[in-house]
Amino acid sequence: SMMNYFAHAERDTKKELDGDTTQLFFEALRKHVARGRGGDYQSRVLGLRNASATSSFIQQMDNILLLTTARMDESLIVLRRALGWAPEDILHLDVHVSCSDGVRYDGRAVLCVEPLLKELPRDLHEAIVSLHRNDLLLYNAADAAVAS
């Protein structure tokens, strides 16, 4: 998934103690994107090798349960209803609500990536998107299904 690029770039950025964190993050991110590994990972896991296969899969989504972590709460409700579980059968603890203090729930230091993404250079954004066209189709369809 695209988050793998961010996780690798975050790890590489934390190795550097001095310098502009934003620039270090973008340089590390460029290096991982240039390798192109992991492109369309979710689609490939599902056997969807091209846009045509992904579109066909999306058209059949009425019989398929896809959830997104971006809408975790809503996804858990969809899952609960699909499995016929009672509300008390679902427990979700959001242990990494914010990285604003730079520390994860277990005390590990984290780089706050979300604010950096707002400054993501356009060419880098386009390179990431081009590696994940099928995954983005799949994600948008799943996100819309969960939202409805």
Side-chain angles (χ1 to χ4, degrees):
S1 83
M2 287 194 273
M3 288 310 296
N4 288 334
Y5 296 119
F6 304 138
H8 288 296
E10 175 194 13
R11 184 192 64 224
D12 291 352
T13 302
K14 286 192 296 188
K15 291 177 186 175
E16 302 283 338
L17 298 177
D18 299 322
D20 178 12
T21 305
T22 303
Q23 276 310 112
L24 289 171
F25 175 75
F26 291 149
E27 287 170 19
L29 187 56
R30 279 185 195 285
K31 178 179 71 173
H32 291 287
V33 170
R35 290 183 186 145
R37 294 186 197 140
D40 281 332
Y41 176 77
Q42 286 302 140
S43 301
R44 286 187 292 114
V45 165
L46 294 170
L48 309 172
R49 303 279 183 221
N50 54 47
S52 176
T54 303
S55 294
S56 294
F57 181 84
I58 289 169
Q59 290 173 355
Q60 300 171 17
M61 278 184 46
D62 287 345
N63 303 319
I64 299 167
L65 180 63
L66 286 178
L67 309 174
T68 66
T69 56
R71 292 184 179 267
M72 180 57 78
D73 294 337
E74 295 97 325
S75 290
L76 289 174
I77 291 169
V78 169
L79 177 65
R80 178 185 65 80
R81 288 180 180 162
L83 297 175
W85 292 349
E88 57 271 11
D89 291 332
I90 295 284
L91 174 64
H92 173 231
L93 301 174
D94 205 348
V95 295
H96 192 179
V97 175
S98 170
C99 66
S100 60
D101 59 358
V103 179
R104 204 170 73 169
Y105 68 94
D106 60 0
R108 185 178 145 226
V110 295
L111 175 67
C112 295
V113 172
E114 193 170 319
L116 296 176
L117 295 179
K118 293 176 183 169
E119 300 175 34
L120 189 67
R122 185 162 184 77
D123 66 311
L124 185 53
H125 178 265
E126 289 170 2
I128 293 170
V129 168
S130 71
L131 289 171
H132 297 277
R133 294 207 188 281
N134 283 338
D135 277 359
L136 288 169
L137 288 172
L138 193 59
Y139 172 81
N140 289 335
D143 190 56
V146 168
S148 63

